[in-house]
Every structure is written in structure tokens, then in C-alpha cells.
Amino acid sequence: MTTSAPLAGKRVLLGICGSIAAYKAADICSRLGKLGADVFVVMTSSATEFVGAPTFRALTRHPVLVDLFDEPLSDRIAHIDLAQSSDIVLVAPATANIIAKLATGIADDLLSTCLLAVPTSTPLLVAPAMNTVMLEHPATRANMTTLTERGVEIITTGYGVLACQDIGYGKLADVDEIVNAVRIRLSTHDDFKGRRLLITAGPTREPLDPVRYIGNRSSGKMGYALAEAAVHRGASVILVSGPTALEPPAFVKIVRVETAEQMLEACMHAAPTCDVVIGAAAVADYRAASVASKKLKRNSTTSLTVELLPNPDIIATIAARRAVGQFIAGFAAETDDIDVNAARKLQSKGLDLIVSNDVSRPDAGFDVDTNAVTLHWPDGRSEALPLQSKRATAEAILSCIAAAIAKHNLP
Ligand code: C5P
């Protein structure tokens, strides 16, 4: 699946303070770079006691600035230039000291001076890391409240064993969470911001014996493309996936399953907390009534009969117990009478949308990177989308879902 880097063309100013968690800033820096961001690093001098500036120079391929009088470019003033040309500013780890300086407007080193020069329209994210007592000190709490009131986003610390061996809040938030917070703030269209999506993807495998199973040709590409697109649009995504060869998209919570019954269980657990459910999985319709505990032996003279039981209909089960305001979409892979079959499934499964595709076409459906789908709505409307990449198809489907949710004023 081809994807464009989500932070391509974005300039991130990363401020690093003197906390033991400074070593994690190398991971943050590297992850932001991999997402396409151009990262510029400013370190406090105490941060350089924990990690050397050359680490960040190598990761960013830019000079790392520490001293107020470091001026790598003679025609520019570094702190003003950095502050004003960045699309976002992240301070991670942020000490009680930098939080206090930022709250009170003190500018006595390069990082604090840069932060004061950041335009108020530029998103500023602060990921604190400090001892619990320092974090809970009324001064730090008041400073953090001041920053929040000014629109600074504080990325809440984690709970655990701290460097000083105390146990409590104060650990730098997970690197994943910090990088995701940057991504969400920079996403250009964020119509799924704050929404939780449950997406099913891939085939299911129904075992016959320890080595054989009933399966299908689904690659999972459509469901994974939907998950990736939704995350880029600000959603939290749980992807319940049958066996596929695909890498899970970044920031998606993946739950791996094999059988339809396992997929149902994972979905029923996740669905009540989700605003939108999209069933893109090709769930096996039947499973073996009994699974042999030993490999079935080949016999070339007698035929083998396997009794099959129907599998539960996952999307219909979710729809039957839908949470208030939940939007539920399914897919219909068809080879004939597509419109009629899709409309019937939409109604019988109790869905808000069904997306049909003609899997007899070589360029749509199973295991290819393109798809040509039609959207069918409960009021009888249908809309055919052009043949396009599965990622573009995913974006178009999400736009239609976002519009439908907005129209019905769902929460
Ligand atoms: O009935 P059919 O399998 O064609 O329906 C397809 C839609 O129903 C897809 O959204 C698929 O993910 C979902 N489905 C399901 N559980 C099943 C069968 C299909 O959730 N057992």
C-alpha cells in the first residue's frame, strides 16, 4: 500500500530539557522524521548532560542549538527564526523549570527565549517529565493551568516507577502518544477528531484440523486503508484483523484474531465504546462443526464430508445491539445483482451504509490495490465511486460517513 508521509512538509521545533527522559527524545525525533517532518532541535544545557547534541544532529541533519548565542546562519536570528518558521512546537521532556519559565515569560536561555517567540497561533505541546512531588507541587500545577488556559496542550504524564525509584505520576507520556499528539494537531482535515472507530479487516480462518482451514482471498487492504485514513483524520482506531500479511498502520490499536467467533468476541468487547463501526472483513460464512485434534489423513478411495455450521454475522450482531448514535457500515463483496444484493444486506443487517464492490472485476476487490465501490444508503440512494486506490476509496468512504453523521447530528 502506498502512503504519503503524514507530516511531509511540516517543520517541528523540538525542545529538550534536562530530565533523564531526554534519551526518549531521540526516539520522538526519529519517529517524527519517519513521518516526514523536518525536525529542528533546541536543547537546554542540562539536557546535553543526558544526551549529546550529535545524536539529534544525526537524526535531524540540522545543527542542534543550545546556547542563545549559537547563530549558525549569519543572516538570521536563530531563536526568532526557529520560533516563527515552525508549524508546531513540542517540548519533550519538559521539566518543572521550563514549565515555570514558560508560564511566567522568563527567557534566560535559548529554549525559553524561543518559546516566548512562538506566535500564539502555532500549536505548542508540552510533555512534562519529573518527580511526582514536583509535578504535584502547587507551583507546577498552577503553571500548568496557566499554560492550558493559554491554549498550550499538556500531554499528561504516565504512572509508574520514576528514575528516583518513587512510584507515581511524572513519567514522560509514551513516545507513541506524544508523536500521535503532534500528528493530530498537524492533520489538515480532522473531521474524525475525537471519534472512536472499530474496523474489521481481512479474512477469517476456520480450522478443520491442526494444519488446514477454510479461508478466503481477502488481503485486508481495504480495511487497513480505512484504518490508516481514519487515523490521519484524527480518529482513534481499533482494527480487529484476521490473518493478513500487512503491517498495521501507525497509531492503530490492532487486535489480531483468526476465526469468526474470535472476531465477534473482540468486536463485542470494543463496539460499545465506538462511534463508528465499519465491517470490512470477509468473514467466513461457515465453520467446521468439529475440528479434528490430529491432522486428517488422506484417503484416495473415500470422499471426505465436513459438516459446516453457520458463523455468527458480526456486523448484524453489533447493529442489533447498537449503542445510541452509533454509525454502522458494512461491505458487500458481490459477483452479480450487486445493487439488489447490497440493498437486501443493508436492510437485513440493520446498517446505516453498505459499500458494495464487484469482486469479479480484476481491478477491484480481493488482493488488489485498487477498488471501485458503490455506496448504498437506507433511503435508497446509491453513489458509485470511480476506480481508484484503496486509500483514496477509504478517504471517500470516510468523507461520506462524516457527512452522514453531521447530517443526523449524531453526537
Ligand atoms: O453477508 P455478507 O457476508 O455478504 O456481508 C458482508 C458484510 O457483513 C461485511 O461488512 C462483512 O464484514 C459482514 N459480515 C460479518 N459477519 C459475517 C459475515 C459478514 O460481519 N459472519
Side-chain angles (χ1 to χ4, degrees):
M1 199 181 313
T2 53
T3 58
S4 58
L7 300 186
K10 299 292 182 191
R11 228 174 129 122
V12 179
L13 171 56
L14 173 62
I16 304 170
C17 303
S19 150
I20 176 65
Y23 77 92
K24 294 185 184 167
D27 197 13
I28 295 173
C29 192
S30 152
R31 301 271 302 276
L32 289 170
K34 284 185 186 143
L35 292 175
D38 200 12
V39 185
F40 292 80
V41 169
V42 174
M43 302 176 78
T44 63
S45 68
S46 44
T48 63
E49 300 286 332
F50 290 96
V51 204
T55 302
F56 295 99
R57 190 187 173 95
L59 287 169
T60 63
R61 312 209 172 258
H62 293 300
V64 172
L65 303 184
V66 179
D67 192 275
L68 195 48
F69 300 101
D70 285 342
E71 291 291 353
L73 299 170
S74 56
D75 58 338
R76 308 226 186 108
I77 300 171
H79 63 273
I80 302 290
D81 195 43
L82 276 173
Q84 299 193 344
S85 61
S86 300
D87 296 296
I88 194 163
V89 178
L90 167 69
V91 187
T95 52
N97 184 41
I98 197 77
I99 289 169
K101 288 202 263 185
L102 186 55
T104 48
I106 292 173
D108 63 355
D109 64 359
L110 181 62
L111 181 57
S112 52
T113 309
C114 271
L115 294 180
L116 214 56
V118 173
T120 47
S121 55
T122 304
L124 174 51
L125 276 58
V126 168
M130 66 193 77
N131 165 275
T132 312
V133 180
M134 294 172 79
L135 181 75
E136 286 172 2
H137 192 284
T140 309
R141 287 166 65 151
N143 289 332
M144 295 214 288
T145 305
T146 303
L147 294 184
T148 308
E149 283 168 1
R150 278 192 213 141
V152 174
E153 182 175 336
I154 308 272
I155 304 171
T156 314
T157 60
Y159 184 90
V161 181
L162 307 173
C164 53
Q165 299 305 310
D166 283 358
I167 297 179
Y169 283 97
K171 271 170 85 81
L172 184 72
D174 273 355
V175 167
D176 224 28
E177 193 187 331
I178 295 172
V179 175
N180 200 23
V182 171
R183 186 193 56 74
I184 288 175
R185 285 298 284 263
L186 287 176
S187 73
T188 42
H189 56 295
D190 56 359
D191 49 358
F192 279 83
K193 194 169 186 166
R195 296 218 179 264
R196 282 171 63 84
L197 265 69
L198 167 62
I199 298 173
T200 67
T204 63
R205 279 184 189 170
E206 310 299 332
L208 296 172
D209 69 13
V211 297
R212 302 186 183 88
Y213 59 83
I214 301 171
N216 61 64
R217 291 176 46 214
S218 167
S219 63
K221 286 178 178 171
M222 192 63 238
Y224 279 57
L226 280 160
E228 187 172 64
V231 157
H232 284 192
R233 295 163 78 143
S236 303
V237 177
I238 302 171
L239 179 64
V240 178
S241 173
T244 73
L246 304 173
E247 276 291 311
F251 309 116
V252 163
K253 181 173 179 226
I254 182 131
V255 182
R256 295 182 195 277
V257 296
E258 284 224 358
T259 65
E261 286 181 307
Q262 290 165 358
M263 188 173 272
L264 176 69
E265 191 186 336
C267 288
M268 293 318 283
H269 183 68
T273 61
C274 291
D275 308 295
V276 177
V277 181
I278 306 178
V283 184
D285 290 327
Y286 295 94
R287 66 181 185 280
S290 69
V291 179
S293 60
K294 295 203 171 98
K295 187 180 169 195
L296 295 166
K297 297 283 178 288
R298 185 168 71 93
N299 186 329
S300 48
T301 53
T302 56
S303 59
L304 173 70
T305 304
V306 178
E307 188 192 349
L308 297 176
L309 296 177
N311 265 331
D313 190 317
I314 298 166
I315 204 82
T317 310
I318 297 171
R321 300 185 202 170
R322 72 169 70 215
V324 178
Q326 206 170 43
F327 186 97
I328 305 179
F331 273 72
E334 303 291 343
T335 52
D336 52 87
D337 277 341
I338 296 173
D339 289 346
V340 175
N341 286 330
R344 184 178 45 78
K345 284 181 186 173
L346 178 74
Q347 216 245 326
S348 66
K349 291 172 191 267
L351 306 179
D352 300 301
L353 167 68
I354 201 150
V355 181
S356 69
N357 56 338
D358 179 352
V359 287
S360 62
R361 279 176 66 150
D363 51 4
F366 291 137
D367 213 17
V368 290
D369 289 325
T370 49
N371 213 352
V373 302
T374 301
L375 275 51
H376 306 260
W377 300 93
D379 62 6
R381 272 181 310 122
S382 67
E383 185 184 348
L385 302 181
L387 178 72
Q388 54 195 337
S389 70
K390 284 190 171 165
R391 179 56 196 275
T393 303
E395 296 284 1
I397 293 170
L398 290 179
S399 295
C400 291
I401 292 178
I405 290 173
K407 197 167 152 204
H408 290 105
N409 290 325
L410 294 180

